[in-house]
Amino acid sequence: MNAHGLEPYLLGGSLLLILSIVASKTTGRFGIPLLLVFLIIGMLAGSEGIIGIHFNNHQYSQTLGVIALQFILFAGGLETDWKKISKILLPGLALSTVGVLITCGLTGWFATYILGFTLPEGLLLGAIVSSTDAAAVFTILRASSVNLKGQTKSLLELESGSNDPMAVFLTIGILQVMQQTDFSSASFIALIPMFIKQMSLGAIIGYAFGKSVISLLNRIKLEFEGLYSVLMLAVVVLGYSISQLNGGNGFLSVYIMGIVLGRENFIHKKSLILFQDGIAWLMQIAMFLTLGLLVFPSKIIPIAGSALLVSAFLIFIARPVGVFVSLIGQKFSIREKSLISWIGLRGAVPIILATYPMLAGIPKAEIIFNIVFFIVLTSILFQGTSIPFVAKLLKMQEPFKQKFRFPIEYTPMGNLKSELIELHIPGKYPATGKPIIELNLPKEVLIVLIQRQGNIIIPKGSTHLHANDTMLVLAEKAQLEKLQSLLEVEG
């Protein structure tokens, strides 16, 4: 092997990765979406950039994207709060299916007139850009310290995590129709049973696989703790593969598998969630850098005008219509629907899906790819940077609560059914200033730690509780509910 065959690629890849991570420290201060920075770094490193790395492999990009999306969706499912999303399950599913379909149809119709596309070509473009990006949305919200009122954030979380499978289905389905020698409206109607089959099997396999993984993790008793992380990586890919090979939607399966795991207790849960979050970030960075390398800026400039029109139509018309129609009959105000319409960022998934027409040999595939890339750039730059302003304008902001991480992890094992949860003491707490011993807590309840203004306190019977303290409490679920009611605190 050439002594310098592999090392230059390792050197370049590691430097780009480190540069992207370091850049994350400064982007939040200036309101620049982090994922946009990853894309720009990739473009600057590309063949028309400063470094001049020549890369034009759509097959590799698509493969990387499919693998990356599995782990991103799984991590998103793991961190999804089931208690919150269960309350808005119906509107969330409506947005991720009906909303995506309406966005696809309207954008596709507009593209046929503006770009001179045939209807199937327009619908293909509409399908590719129809899904929103959870990573882009919540990265910006966290960086800007924006907290949304009501159930808006939970709804956006559910929609963004669950609408990618629908966009993937529409893209692949329309491509299959376009490759037929004789297609008509009946060809599109034939996609309906395929949709039902893929989504149903994907959901069933994801749920069943998630339950099986929980049992496996709690019973296998590995001698080396590091192997649990490796096992988790393997089961994500296995779950996706089994679903795809049996005609299901693999992306939906891994997302549901993540939700199932996230709502249950299993060994090393917190450390495994942190590990998966790190893997998801690695996948996002690698994916955006690769997609940035894949783009030739000189090819985007000629289509910028028409692409800007399509992007504006998507942002101001197609997305809002999809949201308002999907939420008909749901208890969401006009201000909430308007904010949900605006926070519909396009991210990596559309660019990944744009490689499908390239590999399928569709005549206008290159034009579609460049338009999609432009739409993603304008969406992240224009919508992403304005989210804090729009949320404030619509009066949908509330004080941001910084999540505190306690230096302890607990996993129920054997016959133990206790849970370890955080209870926040509001400012009007009736027993503020009283020592713990005077609170008459149930004997089965143990206050493990108290977090006060960023400091950790090991409680004693004489420890007084203060307003805005957060208690880390160990008890069985029934006792925890009684405790919350007794103390009038927030979980």
Side-chain angles (χ1 to χ4, degrees), residues 251-358:
F251 295 115
L252 181 60
S253 293
V254 295
Y255 179 65
I256 291 179
M257 188 167 68
I259 292 178
V260 172
L261 282 164
R263 62 181 294 196
E264 301 285 348
N265 288 318
F266 54 89
I267 192 166
H268 304 306
K269 181 176 180 178
K270 285 191 176 181
S271 60
L272 287 175
I273 288 177
L274 286 174
F275 174 76
Q276 286 297 326
D277 184 56
I279 292 294
W281 271 111
L282 173 63
M283 292 297 172
Q284 287 182 66
I285 295 173
M287 188 167 53
F288 271 84
L289 288 175
T290 302
L291 295 173
L293 289 171
L294 195 62
V295 171
F296 292 82
S298 61
K299 295 181 180 180
I300 294 180
I301 295 174
I303 53 90
S306 55
L308 184 60
L309 290 175
V310 177
S311 182
F313 182 86
L314 173 64
I315 293 171
F316 293 105
I317 298 178
R319 166 69 176 175
V321 171
V323 169
F324 275 79
V325 171
S326 300
L327 297 181
I328 290 177
Q330 303 296 329
K331 296 181 180 179
F332 288 91
S333 66
I334 294 178
R335 288 188 292 113
E336 288 175 316
K337 293 176 183 178
S338 298
L339 184 62
I340 292 168
S341 299
W342 189 255
I343 307 180
L345 304 186
R346 271 58 197 170
V349 175
I351 303 177
I352 294 170
L353 293 180
T355 62
Y356 282 69
M358 299 285 285

Side-chain angles (χ1 to χ4, degrees), residues 340-411:
I340 292 168
S341 299
W342 189 255
I343 307 180
L345 304 186
R346 271 58 197 170
V349 175
I351 303 177
I352 294 170
L353 293 180
T355 62
Y356 282 69
M358 299 285 285
L359 296 176
I362 300 300
K364 295 181 180 178
E366 187 174 351
I367 296 175
I368 291 175
F369 181 87
N370 291 327
I371 291 174
V372 169
F373 193 89
F374 186 89
I375 289 173
V376 171
L377 281 178
T378 54
S379 175
I380 295 178
L381 183 60
F382 183 51
Q383 291 176 281
T385 55
S386 61
I387 286 176
F389 171 76
V390 173
K392 186 176 181 180
L393 182 67
L394 294 172
K395 298 179 180 180
M396 288 297 297
Q397 270 188 288
E398 61 182 16
F400 184 81
K401 296 179 182 178
Q402 187 68 41
K403 186 71 172 178
F404 183 85
R405 290 194 179 276
F406 283 92
I408 190 171
E409 179 181 350
Y410 169 77
T411 302

Side-chain angles (χ1 to χ4, degrees), residues 94-108 122-133 159-160 162-172 174 310 314 318-320 322-323 343-347 349-351 353-354 372 375-376:
L95 278 176
S96 61
T97 52
V98 178
V100 169
L101 188 61
I102 292 173
T103 302
C104 167
L106 290 176
T107 306
L123 289 175
L124 178 60
L125 174 61
I128 291 171
V129 298
S130 60
S131 68
T132 58
D133 189 277
E159 181 212 7
S160 300
S162 61
N163 65 7
D164 290 335
M166 181 67 174
V168 173
F169 166 78
L170 288 174
T171 301
I172 295 176
I174 294 172
V310 177
L314 173 64
R319 166 69 176 175
V323 169
I343 307 180
L345 304 186
R346 271 58 197 170
V349 175
I351 303 177
L353 293 180
V372 169
I375 289 173
V376 171

Side-chain angles (χ1 to χ4, degrees), residues 426-447:
K428 296 181 180 180
Y429 173 59
T432 298
K434 293 184 178 180
I436 293 176
I437 197 171
E438 294 182 9
L439 298 180
N440 297 318
L441 300 178
K443 293 181 179 179
E444 299 84 358
V445 173
L446 174 64
I447 300 178

